[in-house]
């Protein structure tokens, strides 16, 4: 589970750098008795340079699913992008 959280943060920050150059990002980790949550937010505007999508979001989804968790990703209403995962601790 620790490795999954690390890779989610790594991939989300890589995506920010790759797809929203110059954006600021924040990472929030929350632990409670039942789960760990990770949220990565950025304030970037996606560049439209024809770069094809990679495997990052799919890889994150697979990691979270293997840990029995949930992943949500997508644009934020105020701009930027959000990655949020909740992984139950009992699966660790």
């Amino acid at each position: 589970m620790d490795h999954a959280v690390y890779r989610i943060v790594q991939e989300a920050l890589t995506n920010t750098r790759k797809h929203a150059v110059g954006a600021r990002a924040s990472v929030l980790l929350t632990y409670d008795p039942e789960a760990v949550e990770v949220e990565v937010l950025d304030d970037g505007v996606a560049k439209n340079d024809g770069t094809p999508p990679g495997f990052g979001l799919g890889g994150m989804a697979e990691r979270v699913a293997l840990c029995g968790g949930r992943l949500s990703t997508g644009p934020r209403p105020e701009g930027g992008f959000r990655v949020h995962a909740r992984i139950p601790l009992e699966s660790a």
Side-chain angles (χ1 to χ4, degrees):
M1 189 249 326
D2 293 341
H3 188 70
V5 169
Y6 171 82
R7 291 289 291 137
I8 290 163
V9 171
Q10 182 183 40
E11 183 62 35
L13 293 176
T14 298
N15 285 348
T16 297
R17 185 168 182 211
K18 182 177 179 181
H19 299 292
V21 176
R24 291 176 299 181
S26 64
V27 177
L28 177 65
L29 295 174
T30 306
Y31 295 88
D32 66 41
E34 298 174 0
V36 61
E37 292 190 40
V38 58
E39 180 178 64
V40 181
L41 304 173
D42 75 49
D43 63 359
V45 176
K47 60 182 183 175
N48 295 316
D49 63 358
T51 303
F55 300 102
L57 295 179
M60 278 190 252
E62 288 177 10
R63 286 180 188 280
V64 172
L66 287 171
C67 293
R70 298 185 316 263
L71 177 73
S72 63
T73 63
R76 299 168 57 201
E78 63 273 21
F81 201 81
R82 176 179 186 250
V83 172
H84 179 265
R86 180 173 173 85
I87 300 172
L89 292 175
E90 68 269 6
S91 68

